[in-house]
Amino acid sequence: MVEEVVQETPTKAVSKVRGVSGSSQVKHLAEIEGQKEERVPVEMEEFARVLGGGIVPGSIVLIGGDPGIGKSTLTLQMAMQLAEKSTILYVSGEESERQIKMRAVRLAGEEKLPNNLLLVTETNLGVIFEHIAQVKPSLVIVDSIQTVTLPEMESAAGSISQVRESAAKLRELAKLTGITVFLIGHVTKEGTIAGPRVLEHIVDTVLYLEGEHFQSYRLLRSVKNRYGATSEVGVFEMQERGMVEVRNPSEVFLAERMINAPGSAIAVTMEGTRPLLVEIQGLTTPTSFGNPRRTANGIDISRLLILAAVLTRRIGVNLSNQDVISNVVSGLRIEEPAADLAVATAISSSYKDIPVRADTVLIGEVGLSGELRMVGQMQTRLREAAKLGFKRAVVPKRLRKSEPWPEGIEVVEVRSLKEAIQEALLPVK
Ligand code: TYD
Ligand code: MG
Protein backbone atom coordinates (compact mmCIF):
# COMPACT_ATOMS: atom_id res chain seq x y z
CA MET A 1 0.00 0.00 0.00
CA VAL A 2 1.39 3.40 -0.96
CA GLU A 3 0.01 6.50 0.64
CA GLU A 4 -0.95 9.17 -1.89
CA VAL A 5 -1.45 12.75 -0.79
CA VAL A 6 -4.33 14.34 -2.68
CA GLN A 7 -3.13 17.44 -4.51
CA GLU A 8 -5.49 20.31 -5.22
CA THR A 9 -3.55 22.37 -7.72
CA PRO A 10 -2.43 19.94 -10.43
CA THR A 11 -5.87 18.40 -10.79
CA LYS A 12 -7.53 21.78 -11.24
CA ALA A 13 -5.07 22.85 -13.88
CA VAL A 14 -5.73 19.67 -15.82
CA SER A 15 -9.51 19.92 -15.64
CA LYS A 16 -9.36 23.44 -17.02
CA VAL A 17 -7.47 22.30 -20.08
CA ARG A 18 -9.62 19.27 -20.75
CA GLY A 19 -12.96 20.61 -19.56
CA VAL A 20 -15.80 22.36 -21.37
CA SER A 21 -14.09 25.73 -21.04
CA GLY A 22 -11.06 24.44 -22.91
CA SER A 23 -10.13 25.31 -26.47
CA SER A 24 -11.06 22.01 -28.09
CA GLN A 25 -13.23 22.00 -31.20
CA VAL A 26 -15.35 19.34 -32.82
CA LYS A 27 -14.30 18.68 -36.42
CA HIS A 28 -15.31 16.52 -39.34
CA LEU A 29 -12.98 13.66 -40.02
CA ALA A 30 -12.16 15.05 -43.46
CA GLU A 31 -11.28 18.48 -42.09
CA ILE A 32 -8.51 17.15 -39.92
CA GLU A 33 -5.11 17.64 -41.42
CA GLY A 34 -2.18 15.33 -41.44
CA GLN A 35 -3.00 12.26 -43.50
CA LYS A 36 0.64 11.59 -44.02
CA GLU A 37 2.63 10.33 -41.11
CA GLU A 38 5.96 12.01 -40.79
CA ARG A 39 8.72 10.03 -39.21
CA VAL A 40 12.20 10.97 -38.20
CA PRO A 41 14.46 8.23 -39.50
CA VAL A 42 16.52 6.33 -36.96
CA GLU A 43 19.86 5.07 -38.15
CA MET A 44 19.76 1.84 -36.17
CA GLU A 45 17.35 -0.28 -38.18
CA GLU A 46 16.64 -2.62 -35.32
CA PHE A 47 15.51 0.35 -33.25
CA ALA A 48 13.48 1.86 -36.10
CA ARG A 49 11.69 -1.44 -36.64
CA VAL A 50 10.47 -1.55 -33.07
CA LEU A 51 9.26 2.04 -33.24
CA GLY A 52 7.26 1.16 -36.34
CA GLY A 53 9.66 2.73 -38.85
CA GLY A 54 11.09 5.79 -37.13
CA ILE A 55 10.24 8.40 -34.53
CA VAL A 56 6.86 10.12 -34.78
CA PRO A 57 7.35 13.77 -33.80
CA GLY A 58 5.38 14.71 -30.72
CA SER A 59 5.11 11.15 -29.52
CA ILE A 60 6.03 9.96 -26.07
CA VAL A 61 7.93 6.71 -25.81
CA LEU A 62 8.74 4.70 -22.71
CA ILE A 63 11.75 2.41 -22.62
CA GLY A 64 11.56 0.06 -19.67
CA GLY A 65 13.84 -2.65 -18.43
CA ASP A 66 15.82 -4.02 -15.53
CA PRO A 67 18.54 -1.78 -14.08
CA GLY A 68 21.84 -2.29 -15.90
CA ILE A 69 20.35 -3.92 -18.96
CA GLY A 70 21.50 -1.12 -21.30
CA LYS A 71 18.66 1.41 -21.56
CA SER A 72 20.87 4.45 -21.08
CA THR A 73 23.47 3.09 -23.45
CA LEU A 74 21.01 2.39 -26.25
CA THR A 75 19.20 5.69 -25.83
CA LEU A 76 22.43 7.66 -25.76
CA GLN A 77 23.57 5.95 -28.95
CA MET A 78 20.33 6.88 -30.67
CA ALA A 79 20.57 10.44 -29.34
CA MET A 80 24.09 10.82 -30.68
CA GLN A 81 23.01 9.67 -34.11
CA LEU A 82 20.00 11.98 -34.17
CA ALA A 83 22.05 14.91 -32.87
CA GLU A 84 23.82 15.03 -36.23
CA LYS A 85 20.65 16.59 -37.62
CA SER A 86 18.72 18.19 -34.77
CA THR A 87 19.02 19.36 -31.18
CA ILE A 88 18.60 16.68 -28.55
CA LEU A 89 18.36 17.29 -24.82
CA TYR A 90 19.42 14.44 -22.55
CA VAL A 91 18.20 14.96 -19.00
CA SER A 92 19.71 12.62 -16.50
CA GLY A 93 18.71 12.26 -12.90
CA GLU A 94 20.99 9.32 -12.34
CA GLU A 95 24.38 10.15 -13.73
CA SER A 96 26.52 13.27 -13.82
CA GLU A 97 27.24 15.06 -17.10
CA ARG A 98 30.81 13.82 -16.82
CA GLN A 99 29.74 10.20 -16.57
CA ILE A 100 27.52 10.55 -19.62
CA LYS A 101 30.28 12.27 -21.53
CA MET A 102 32.65 9.41 -20.69
CA ARG A 103 30.12 6.92 -21.94
CA ALA A 104 29.58 8.93 -25.12
CA VAL A 105 33.32 8.99 -25.77
CA ARG A 106 33.46 5.25 -25.24
CA LEU A 107 30.60 4.73 -27.68
CA ALA A 108 31.63 7.06 -30.48
CA GLY A 109 35.20 8.14 -29.85
CA GLU A 110 36.41 11.62 -28.86
CA GLU A 111 36.52 12.99 -32.39
CA LYS A 112 33.01 11.92 -33.32
CA LEU A 113 31.01 13.65 -30.59
CA PRO A 114 27.97 15.39 -32.08
CA ASN A 115 27.52 19.15 -31.64
CA ASN A 116 23.83 19.21 -30.94
CA LEU A 117 23.57 16.86 -28.02
CA LEU A 118 22.91 18.79 -24.83
CA LEU A 119 23.24 17.22 -21.41
CA VAL A 120 21.92 18.27 -18.06
CA THR A 121 21.71 16.57 -14.70
CA GLU A 122 18.43 17.70 -13.20
CA THR A 123 15.53 16.13 -11.38
CA ASN A 124 13.19 19.08 -10.85
CA LEU A 125 10.61 18.93 -13.63
CA GLY A 126 9.96 22.68 -13.42
CA VAL A 127 13.60 23.40 -14.13
CA ILE A 128 13.67 20.76 -16.86
CA PHE A 129 10.76 22.55 -18.58
CA GLU A 130 12.69 25.83 -18.40
CA HIS A 131 15.67 24.17 -20.05
CA ILE A 132 13.42 22.78 -22.75
CA ALA A 133 11.89 26.21 -23.39
CA GLN A 134 15.37 27.67 -23.66
CA VAL A 135 17.11 25.18 -25.94
CA LYS A 136 14.05 24.12 -27.97
CA PRO A 137 15.15 20.56 -28.68
CA SER A 138 13.32 18.29 -31.09
CA LEU A 139 13.76 15.38 -28.72
CA VAL A 140 14.02 15.19 -24.94
CA ILE A 141 15.26 12.11 -23.14
CA VAL A 142 14.42 11.77 -19.46
CA ASP A 143 16.64 9.19 -17.75
CA SER A 144 14.91 8.03 -15.63
CA ILE A 145 11.28 8.95 -14.99
CA GLN A 146 11.65 7.60 -11.46
CA THR A 147 14.13 10.33 -10.57
CA VAL A 148 12.17 13.39 -11.67
CA THR A 149 9.90 15.22 -9.29
CA LEU A 150 7.22 17.85 -9.45
CA PRO A 151 8.20 20.10 -6.54
CA GLU A 152 4.60 21.07 -5.81
CA MET A 153 3.80 17.49 -4.98
CA GLU A 154 4.73 16.25 -1.56
CA SER A 155 5.34 12.57 -2.22
CA ALA A 156 8.86 11.25 -2.75
CA ALA A 157 10.61 10.86 -6.10
CA GLY A 158 9.74 7.52 -7.63
CA SER A 159 6.39 7.20 -5.87
CA ILE A 160 3.41 6.33 -8.00
CA SER A 161 1.86 9.77 -7.91
CA GLN A 162 5.14 11.54 -8.75
CA VAL A 163 5.92 9.24 -11.65
CA ARG A 164 2.41 9.44 -13.05
CA GLU A 165 2.03 13.21 -12.74
CA SER A 166 5.51 13.87 -14.15
CA ALA A 167 4.83 11.63 -17.12
CA ALA A 168 1.45 13.27 -17.68
CA LYS A 169 3.13 16.69 -17.73
CA LEU A 170 5.72 15.49 -20.19
CA ARG A 171 3.00 14.07 -22.37
CA GLU A 172 1.23 17.41 -22.41
CA LEU A 173 4.50 18.99 -23.45
CA ALA A 174 4.90 16.50 -26.28
CA LYS A 175 1.35 16.96 -27.55
CA LEU A 176 1.36 20.76 -27.34
CA THR A 177 4.82 21.45 -28.75
CA GLY A 178 5.52 18.49 -31.03
CA ILE A 179 8.70 17.73 -29.11
CA THR A 180 9.32 14.00 -28.92
CA VAL A 181 9.84 12.65 -25.41
CA PHE A 182 11.65 9.45 -24.52
CA LEU A 183 11.23 8.27 -20.95
CA ILE A 184 13.46 5.67 -19.43
CA GLY A 185 11.92 3.62 -16.63
CA HIS A 186 13.29 0.92 -14.40
CA VAL A 187 11.24 -2.17 -13.88
CA THR A 188 11.49 -2.77 -10.18
CA LYS A 189 10.53 -5.75 -8.19
CA GLU A 190 9.70 -3.93 -4.97
CA GLY A 191 6.23 -2.53 -4.73
CA THR A 192 7.20 0.81 -3.21
CA ILE A 193 8.69 2.32 -6.35
CA ALA A 194 6.42 2.87 -9.30
CA GLY A 195 7.57 0.97 -12.33
CA PRO A 196 6.80 1.56 -16.01
CA ARG A 197 3.54 -0.37 -15.70
CA VAL A 198 1.96 2.70 -14.11
CA LEU A 199 2.81 4.67 -17.24
CA GLU A 200 1.71 2.34 -19.97
CA HIS A 201 -1.58 4.11 -20.59
CA ILE A 202 -0.03 7.58 -20.54
CA VAL A 203 2.54 7.05 -23.27
CA ASP A 204 2.11 6.26 -26.99
CA THR A 205 4.71 3.55 -27.22
CA VAL A 206 6.11 1.15 -24.66
CA LEU A 207 9.34 -0.64 -25.41
CA TYR A 208 10.98 -3.15 -23.11
CA LEU A 209 14.64 -3.97 -23.24
CA GLU A 210 15.14 -7.55 -22.14
CA GLY A 211 17.91 -10.06 -21.92
CA GLU A 212 19.85 -12.17 -19.51
CA HIS A 213 22.57 -10.24 -17.73
CA PHE A 214 25.11 -12.96 -18.29
CA GLN A 215 24.37 -13.14 -22.01
CA SER A 216 25.17 -10.38 -24.41
CA TYR A 217 21.99 -10.37 -26.51
CA ARG A 218 19.39 -7.73 -25.79
CA LEU A 219 15.90 -7.71 -27.23
CA LEU A 220 14.02 -4.48 -27.61
CA ARG A 221 10.36 -5.40 -27.74
CA SER A 222 7.34 -3.18 -28.35
CA VAL A 223 4.44 -4.06 -26.10
CA LYS A 224 2.31 -1.10 -27.04
CA ASN A 225 2.59 1.13 -30.06
CA ARG A 226 0.08 3.67 -31.30
CA TYR A 227 2.19 4.05 -34.44
CA GLY A 228 3.14 0.53 -35.39
CA ALA A 229 2.81 -3.18 -34.80
CA THR A 230 3.23 -4.55 -31.30
CA SER A 231 5.48 -7.40 -30.23
CA GLU A 232 7.98 -6.30 -32.85
CA VAL A 233 11.52 -7.04 -31.69
CA GLY A 234 14.88 -5.51 -32.39
CA VAL A 235 17.94 -7.56 -31.55
CA PHE A 236 21.15 -6.06 -30.21
CA GLU A 237 24.34 -7.31 -28.72
CA MET A 238 26.00 -5.50 -25.82
CA GLN A 239 29.64 -5.11 -26.70
CA GLU A 240 32.64 -3.13 -25.54
CA ARG A 241 31.50 -0.10 -27.50
CA GLY A 242 27.82 -0.20 -26.76
CA MET A 243 24.88 -1.91 -28.36
CA VAL A 244 25.50 -3.38 -31.78
CA GLU A 245 22.60 -4.25 -34.04
CA VAL A 246 22.08 -7.88 -34.93
CA ARG A 247 20.48 -7.79 -38.37
CA ASN A 248 20.39 -11.55 -38.92
CA PRO A 249 19.35 -12.86 -35.52
CA SER A 250 18.35 -16.33 -36.76
CA GLU A 251 21.85 -16.97 -38.11
CA VAL A 252 23.43 -15.70 -34.92
CA PHE A 253 21.12 -17.73 -32.69
CA LEU A 254 21.88 -20.88 -34.65
CA ALA A 255 25.61 -20.29 -34.91
CA GLU A 256 26.60 -22.43 -31.95
CA ARG A 257 24.31 -25.30 -32.77
CA MET A 258 25.82 -28.76 -32.66
CA ILE A 259 24.67 -30.76 -35.65
CA ASN A 260 23.37 -34.24 -34.89
CA ALA A 261 23.35 -33.86 -31.14
CA PRO A 262 20.29 -35.44 -29.54
CA GLY A 263 17.94 -33.05 -27.76
CA SER A 264 18.10 -30.13 -30.15
CA ALA A 265 15.36 -28.97 -32.54
CA ILE A 266 14.80 -25.83 -34.59
CA ALA A 267 11.60 -23.83 -34.16
CA VAL A 268 10.42 -20.90 -36.26
CA THR A 269 8.75 -18.34 -34.05
CA MET A 270 7.13 -15.07 -35.08
CA GLU A 271 8.17 -12.02 -33.12
CA GLY A 272 5.80 -9.35 -34.37
CA THR A 273 6.12 -9.42 -38.14
CA ARG A 274 9.54 -11.05 -38.12
CA PRO A 275 10.17 -14.78 -38.26
CA LEU A 276 13.02 -15.99 -36.05
CA LEU A 277 14.66 -19.39 -36.11
CA VAL A 278 15.76 -20.56 -32.70
CA GLU A 279 17.27 -23.69 -31.34
CA ILE A 280 15.24 -25.44 -28.66
CA GLN A 281 17.02 -27.88 -26.42
CA GLY A 282 15.55 -30.64 -24.36
CA LEU A 283 17.20 -32.89 -21.83
CA THR A 284 15.78 -35.81 -19.90
CA THR A 285 17.53 -37.60 -17.07
CA PRO A 286 16.17 -40.30 -14.77
CA THR A 287 14.89 -38.78 -11.54
CA SER A 288 17.22 -39.75 -8.76
CA PHE A 289 15.18 -38.60 -5.80
CA GLY A 290 11.58 -37.62 -5.11
CA ASN A 291 9.24 -36.18 -7.69
CA PRO A 292 10.44 -35.65 -11.26
CA ARG A 293 11.37 -32.03 -11.91
CA ARG A 294 10.57 -29.83 -14.90
CA THR A 295 12.66 -26.79 -15.73
CA ALA A 296 11.79 -24.34 -18.50
CA ASN A 297 14.08 -21.57 -19.75
CA GLY A 298 12.54 -19.30 -22.34
CA ILE A 299 9.21 -21.09 -22.56
CA ASP A 300 6.26 -21.09 -20.23
CA ILE A 301 6.56 -23.77 -17.54
CA SER A 302 2.89 -24.68 -17.85
CA ARG A 303 3.41 -25.27 -21.57
CA LEU A 304 6.27 -27.63 -20.74
CA LEU A 305 4.10 -29.50 -18.24
CA ILE A 306 1.40 -29.97 -20.88
CA LEU A 307 3.89 -31.20 -23.47
CA ALA A 308 5.51 -33.59 -20.98
CA ALA A 309 2.06 -34.97 -20.14
CA VAL A 310 1.12 -35.38 -23.81
CA LEU A 311 4.42 -37.11 -24.56
CA THR A 312 3.90 -39.49 -21.66
CA ARG A 313 0.25 -40.34 -22.27
CA ARG A 314 -0.11 -40.16 -26.06
CA ILE A 315 3.28 -40.77 -27.59
CA GLY A 316 4.74 -43.38 -25.28
CA VAL A 317 7.68 -41.23 -24.25
CA ASN A 318 7.40 -42.03 -20.57
CA LEU A 319 8.58 -39.00 -18.64
CA SER A 320 6.95 -39.89 -15.32
CA ASN A 321 10.28 -40.94 -13.85
CA GLN A 322 12.39 -38.42 -15.76
CA ASP A 323 13.55 -34.89 -14.95
CA VAL A 324 12.91 -32.69 -17.97
CA ILE A 325 14.77 -29.51 -18.84
CA SER A 326 14.00 -27.39 -21.85
CA ASN A 327 15.87 -24.35 -22.97
CA VAL A 328 15.57 -21.73 -25.70
CA VAL A 329 19.09 -20.90 -26.87
CA SER A 330 19.79 -17.13 -27.15
CA GLY A 331 17.82 -15.91 -24.15
CA LEU A 332 14.70 -15.35 -26.24
CA ARG A 333 11.36 -15.94 -24.52
CA ILE A 334 8.87 -17.70 -26.74
CA GLU A 335 5.26 -17.00 -25.90
CA GLU A 336 3.48 -18.57 -28.86
CA PRO A 337 2.45 -22.22 -29.06
CA ALA A 338 3.97 -22.62 -32.54
CA ALA A 339 7.16 -23.77 -30.85
CA ASP A 340 5.37 -26.69 -29.12
CA LEU A 341 6.38 -29.19 -31.76
CA ALA A 342 10.05 -28.24 -31.52
CA VAL A 343 9.99 -28.44 -27.71
CA ALA A 344 8.28 -31.83 -27.71
CA THR A 345 10.59 -33.17 -30.40
CA ALA A 346 13.72 -31.94 -28.61
CA ILE A 347 12.58 -33.70 -25.45
CA SER A 348 11.79 -36.98 -27.18
CA SER A 349 15.03 -36.75 -29.14
CA SER A 350 16.93 -36.54 -25.85
CA TYR A 351 14.85 -39.32 -24.30
CA LYS A 352 15.43 -41.66 -27.23
CA ASP A 353 18.99 -40.41 -27.69
CA ILE A 354 18.39 -39.97 -31.43
CA PRO A 355 19.25 -36.64 -33.08
CA VAL A 356 16.74 -34.53 -35.00
CA ARG A 357 17.56 -34.27 -38.72
CA ALA A 358 19.81 -31.25 -39.05
CA ASP A 359 18.08 -29.90 -42.17
CA THR A 360 14.60 -29.88 -40.64
CA VAL A 361 12.59 -27.18 -38.88
CA LEU A 362 9.54 -27.92 -36.76
CA ILE A 363 6.46 -25.73 -36.62
CA GLY A 364 3.13 -26.42 -34.95
CA GLU A 365 1.01 -26.31 -31.86
CA VAL A 366 0.43 -29.55 -29.95
CA GLY A 367 -3.06 -30.37 -28.66
CA LEU A 368 -3.92 -32.46 -25.65
CA SER A 369 -4.82 -35.51 -27.74
CA GLY A 370 -1.41 -35.45 -29.31
CA GLU A 371 -2.72 -33.83 -32.48
CA LEU A 372 -0.89 -31.08 -34.34
CA ARG A 373 -2.63 -27.77 -34.88
CA MET A 374 -2.06 -25.16 -37.54
CA VAL A 375 -0.42 -21.87 -36.59
CA GLY A 376 -0.50 -18.47 -38.29
CA GLN A 377 1.86 -16.99 -40.85
CA MET A 378 3.11 -20.35 -42.06
CA GLN A 379 4.32 -19.00 -45.40
CA THR A 380 6.51 -16.35 -43.76
CA ARG A 381 7.99 -18.91 -41.40
CA LEU A 382 8.75 -21.38 -44.17
CA ARG A 383 10.33 -18.75 -46.39
CA GLU A 384 12.65 -17.72 -43.57
CA ALA A 385 13.63 -21.34 -42.93
CA ALA A 386 14.34 -21.86 -46.64
CA LYS A 387 16.37 -18.65 -46.70
CA LEU A 388 18.59 -19.97 -43.95
CA GLY A 389 19.25 -23.18 -45.82
CA PHE A 390 16.84 -25.60 -44.19
CA LYS A 391 15.58 -28.27 -46.58
CA ARG A 392 12.59 -29.74 -44.75
CA ALA A 393 9.81 -28.52 -42.52
CA VAL A 394 7.51 -30.72 -40.49
CA VAL A 395 4.20 -28.89 -40.10
CA PRO A 396 0.54 -29.62 -39.24
CA LYS A 397 -1.68 -30.94 -42.03
CA ARG A 398 -3.53 -28.22 -43.87
CA LEU A 399 -7.25 -28.68 -43.92
CA ARG A 400 -7.87 -25.74 -46.23
CA LYS A 401 -5.69 -25.55 -49.29
CA SER A 402 -4.83 -21.95 -50.05
CA GLU A 403 -1.57 -20.78 -51.57
CA PRO A 404 1.03 -23.35 -52.46
CA TRP A 405 3.93 -23.77 -50.03
CA PRO A 406 7.00 -21.67 -50.76
CA GLU A 407 9.68 -22.96 -53.10
CA GLY A 408 12.96 -24.39 -51.91
CA ILE A 409 11.77 -26.32 -48.89
CA GLU A 410 10.12 -29.72 -48.66
CA VAL A 411 7.03 -29.41 -46.50
CA VAL A 412 6.01 -32.56 -44.67
CA GLU A 413 2.42 -32.34 -43.45
CA VAL A 414 1.44 -34.56 -40.54
CA ARG A 415 -1.61 -34.91 -38.34
CA SER A 416 -0.13 -36.00 -35.06
CA LEU A 417 2.81 -35.35 -32.82
CA LYS A 418 3.73 -39.02 -33.11
CA GLU A 419 4.10 -38.86 -36.90
CA ALA A 420 5.89 -35.53 -36.61
CA ILE A 421 8.51 -36.99 -34.29
CA GLN A 422 9.01 -39.95 -36.63
CA GLU A 423 9.53 -37.57 -39.54
CA ALA A 424 11.85 -35.32 -37.56
CA LEU A 425 14.24 -37.79 -35.95
CA LEU A 426 17.06 -39.38 -37.91
CA PRO A 427 16.15 -42.91 -38.95
CA VAL A 428 17.71 -45.48 -36.63
CA LYS A 429 20.24 -47.69 -38.39
P1 TYD B 1 23.26 1.01 -18.86
O1 TYD B 1 22.93 1.57 -20.19
O2 TYD B 1 23.85 1.95 -17.86
O3 TYD B 1 21.99 0.30 -18.21
P2 TYD B 1 20.62 0.93 -17.68
O4 TYD B 1 20.56 2.34 -18.12
O5 TYD B 1 19.58 0.05 -18.33
O6 TYD B 1 20.61 0.77 -16.21
O7 TYD B 1 24.23 -0.24 -19.12
C1 TYD B 1 24.98 -0.71 -18.10
C2 TYD B 1 25.71 -1.97 -18.48
O8 TYD B 1 26.15 -2.03 -19.81
C3 TYD B 1 26.92 -2.08 -17.62
O9 TYD B 1 26.87 -3.33 -16.98
C4 TYD B 1 28.07 -1.96 -18.55
C5 TYD B 1 27.52 -2.36 -19.87
N1 TYD B 1 28.15 -1.66 -21.01
C6 TYD B 1 28.86 -2.37 -21.95
O10 TYD B 1 29.01 -3.59 -21.86
N2 TYD B 1 29.40 -1.71 -23.03
C7 TYD B 1 29.27 -0.36 -23.19
O11 TYD B 1 29.77 0.19 -24.18
C8 TYD B 1 28.53 0.36 -22.19
C9 TYD B 1 28.36 1.85 -22.31
C10 TYD B 1 27.99 -0.32 -21.13
MG1 MG C 1 20.69 4.05 -16.89
Side-chain angles (χ1 to χ4, degrees), residues 282-296 304-305 308 317-326 347 350-351:
L283 185 65
T284 61
T285 54
T287 306
S288 55
F289 177 76
N291 292 328
R293 293 163 41 124
R294 273 83 179 98
T295 312
L304 177 62
L305 294 174
V317 173
N318 184 7
L319 301 173
S320 56
N321 52 2
Q322 300 278 325
D323 289 349
V324 180
I325 307 168
S326 86
I347 293 169
S350 168
Y351 179 82

Coordinates of all heavy atoms in Angstrom, one line a residue, residues 282-296 304-305 308 317-326 347 350-351:
G282 N 16.3 -29.9 -25.4 CA 15.6 -30.6 -24.4 C 16.5 -31.6 -23.8 O 17.4 -32.1 -24.4
L283 N 16.4 -31.9 -22.5 CA 17.2 -32.9 -21.8 C 16.4 -33.7 -20.8 O 15.6 -33.1 -20.0 CB 18.4 -32.2 -21.1 CG 19.4 -33.1 -20.5 CD1 20.2 -33.9 -21.6 CD2 20.4 -32.3 -19.7
T284 N 16.5 -35.0 -20.9 CA 15.8 -35.8 -19.9 C 16.8 -36.6 -19.2 O 17.8 -37.1 -19.8 CB 14.8 -36.8 -20.6 OG1 15.5 -37.6 -21.4 CG2 13.7 -36.0 -21.4
T285 N 16.7 -36.7 -17.9 CA 17.5 -37.6 -17.1 C 16.7 -38.3 -16.1 O 15.7 -37.7 -15.6 CB 18.6 -36.8 -16.3 OG1 17.9 -35.8 -15.5 CG2 19.6 -36.2 -17.2
P286 N 17.0 -39.6 -15.8 CA 16.2 -40.3 -14.8 C 16.2 -39.6 -13.4 O 17.2 -39.1 -13.0 CB 16.9 -41.6 -14.6 CG 17.7 -41.8 -15.9 CD 18.0 -40.4 -16.3
T287 N 15.0 -39.5 -12.8 CA 14.9 -38.8 -11.5 C 15.6 -39.6 -10.5 O 15.4 -40.8 -10.4 CB 13.4 -38.6 -11.2 OG1 12.8 -38.0 -12.2 CG2 13.2 -37.8 -9.9
S288 N 16.5 -39.0 -9.7 CA 17.2 -39.7 -8.8 C 16.6 -39.7 -7.4 O 16.8 -40.6 -6.6 CB 18.6 -39.2 -8.7 OG 18.6 -37.9 -8.4
F289 N 15.8 -38.7 -7.1 CA 15.2 -38.6 -5.8 C 13.9 -37.8 -5.9 O 13.8 -36.8 -6.5 CB 16.2 -37.9 -4.9 CG 15.6 -37.7 -3.5 CD1 15.6 -38.7 -2.6 CD2 15.1 -36.4 -3.1 CE1 15.1 -38.5 -1.3 CE2 14.6 -36.2 -1.8 CZ 14.6 -37.3 -0.9
G290 N 12.8 -38.4 -5.2 CA 11.6 -37.6 -5.1 C 10.8 -37.5 -6.4 O 10.9 -38.3 -7.3
N291 N 10.1 -36.4 -6.5 CA 9.2 -36.2 -7.7 C 10.1 -35.7 -8.9 O 11.1 -35.0 -8.7 CB 8.2 -35.1 -7.4 CG 7.2 -35.6 -6.4 OD1 6.9 -36.7 -6.4 ND2 6.7 -34.6 -5.6
P292 N 9.7 -36.1 -10.1 CA 10.4 -35.6 -11.3 C 10.3 -34.1 -11.4 O 9.3 -33.6 -11.1 CB 9.8 -36.4 -12.4 CG 8.5 -36.9 -11.9 CD 8.6 -37.0 -10.5
R293 N 11.4 -33.5 -11.8 CA 11.4 -32.0 -11.9 C 11.3 -31.6 -13.4 O 11.8 -32.2 -14.3 CB 12.6 -31.5 -11.3 CG 12.7 -31.7 -9.8 CD 14.1 -31.5 -9.3 NE 14.8 -30.4 -10.0 CZ 15.3 -29.4 -9.3 NH1 15.3 -29.3 -8.0 NH2 15.9 -28.4 -9.9
R294 N 10.6 -30.4 -13.6 CA 10.6 -29.8 -14.9 C 11.1 -28.4 -14.8 O 10.7 -27.6 -14.0 CB 9.1 -29.7 -15.4 CG 8.6 -31.0 -16.1 CD 8.1 -32.0 -15.2 NE 7.5 -33.2 -15.8 CZ 8.2 -34.4 -15.9 NH1 9.5 -34.4 -15.6 NH2 7.6 -35.4 -16.4
T295 N 12.1 -28.1 -15.7 CA 12.7 -26.8 -15.7 C 12.5 -26.2 -17.1 O 12.8 -26.8 -18.1 CB 14.2 -26.9 -15.4 OG1 14.3 -27.7 -14.2 CG2 14.7 -25.5 -15.1
A296 N 12.0 -25.0 -17.2 CA 11.8 -24.3 -18.5 C 12.5 -23.0 -18.5 O 12.3 -22.2 -17.7 CB 10.3 -24.1 -18.7
L304 N 5.4 -26.5 -20.8 CA 6.3 -27.6 -20.7 C 5.6 -28.8 -20.0 O 5.7 -29.9 -20.4 CB 7.6 -27.2 -20.0 CG 8.6 -28.4 -19.8 CD1 9.0 -29.0 -21.1 CD2 9.7 -27.9 -18.9
L305 N 4.8 -28.5 -19.0 CA 4.1 -29.5 -18.2 C 3.1 -30.2 -19.1 O 2.9 -31.4 -19.1 CB 3.4 -28.9 -17.0 CG 4.3 -28.3 -15.9 CD1 3.5 -27.6 -14.8 CD2 5.2 -29.5 -15.3
A308 N 5.0 -32.4 -21.6 CA 5.5 -33.6 -21.0 C 4.4 -34.6 -20.7 O 4.5 -35.8 -21.0 CB 6.2 -33.2 -19.7
V317 N 6.4 -41.7 -24.8 CA 7.7 -41.2 -24.2 C 7.5 -41.0 -22.7 O 6.9 -40.0 -22.3 CB 8.1 -39.9 -24.9 CG1 9.4 -39.3 -24.3 CG2 8.4 -40.1 -26.4
N318 N 7.8 -42.0 -22.0 CA 7.4 -42.0 -20.6 C 8.3 -41.1 -19.7 O 9.4 -41.5 -19.4 CB 7.4 -43.5 -20.0 CG 6.9 -43.5 -18.6 OD1 6.4 -42.5 -18.1 ND2 7.0 -44.7 -18.0
L319 N 7.8 -40.0 -19.4 CA 8.6 -39.0 -18.6 C 8.2 -39.0 -17.2 O 8.7 -38.1 -16.4 CB 8.4 -37.6 -19.2 CG 8.7 -37.4 -20.7 CD1 8.3 -36.1 -21.2 CD2 10.2 -37.6 -20.9
S320 N 7.4 -40.0 -16.7 CA 6.9 -39.9 -15.3 C 8.1 -40.2 -14.3 O 7.9 -39.8 -13.2 CB 5.8 -40.9 -15.1 OG 6.2 -42.2 -15.5
N321 N 9.2 -40.8 -14.8 CA 10.3 -40.9 -13.8 C 11.5 -40.2 -14.4 O 12.6 -40.7 -14.2 CB 10.6 -42.4 -13.6 CG 10.7 -43.2 -14.9 OD1 10.6 -42.6 -16.0 ND2 10.9 -44.5 -14.8
Q322 N 11.3 -39.2 -15.1 CA 12.4 -38.4 -15.8 C 12.3 -36.9 -15.4 O 11.2 -36.3 -15.4 CB 12.3 -38.5 -17.3 CG 12.3 -39.9 -17.9 CD 13.7 -40.4 -18.1 OE1 14.7 -39.6 -18.4 NE2 13.9 -41.7 -17.9
D323 N 13.5 -36.3 -15.1 CA 13.5 -34.9 -15.0 C 13.6 -34.4 -16.4 O 14.3 -34.9 -17.2 CB 14.8 -34.5 -14.2 CG 14.7 -34.8 -12.7 OD1 13.6 -35.2 -12.3 OD2 15.8 -34.7 -12.0
V324 N 12.9 -33.3 -16.6 CA 12.9 -32.7 -18.0 C 13.3 -31.2 -17.9 O 12.8 -30.5 -17.1 CB 11.5 -32.8 -18.6 CG1 11.5 -32.2 -20.0 CG2 11.0 -34.2 -18.7
I325 N 14.3 -30.9 -18.8 CA 14.8 -29.5 -18.8 C 14.6 -29.1 -20.3 O 14.9 -29.8 -21.2 CB 16.3 -29.4 -18.5 CG1 16.5 -30.0 -17.1 CG2 16.7 -27.9 -18.5 CD1 18.0 -30.2 -16.9
S326 N 14.0 -27.9 -20.5 CA 14.0 -27.4 -21.9 C 14.5 -26.0 -21.8 O 14.3 -25.2 -20.9 CB 12.6 -27.5 -22.5 OG 11.9 -26.4 -22.1
I347 N 12.6 -32.9 -26.7 CA 12.6 -33.7 -25.4 C 12.6 -35.2 -25.8 O 13.4 -36.0 -25.3 CB 11.3 -33.4 -24.6 CG1 11.5 -31.9 -24.0 CG2 11.2 -34.4 -23.5 CD1 10.2 -31.4 -23.4
S350 N 16.0 -36.3 -27.0 CA 16.9 -36.5 -25.9 C 16.6 -37.9 -25.2 O 17.5 -38.7 -24.9 CB 16.8 -35.4 -24.8 OG 17.5 -35.7 -23.7
Y351 N 15.3 -38.1 -25.0 CA 14.9 -39.3 -24.3 C 15.3 -40.6 -25.1 O 15.8 -41.5 -24.5 CB 13.3 -39.3 -24.1 CG 12.7 -40.5 -23.5 CD1 12.7 -40.6 -22.1 CD2 12.1 -41.5 -24.3 CE1 12.1 -41.7 -21.5 CE2 11.6 -42.6 -23.6 CZ 11.6 -42.7 -22.3 OH 11.0 -43.8 -21.7

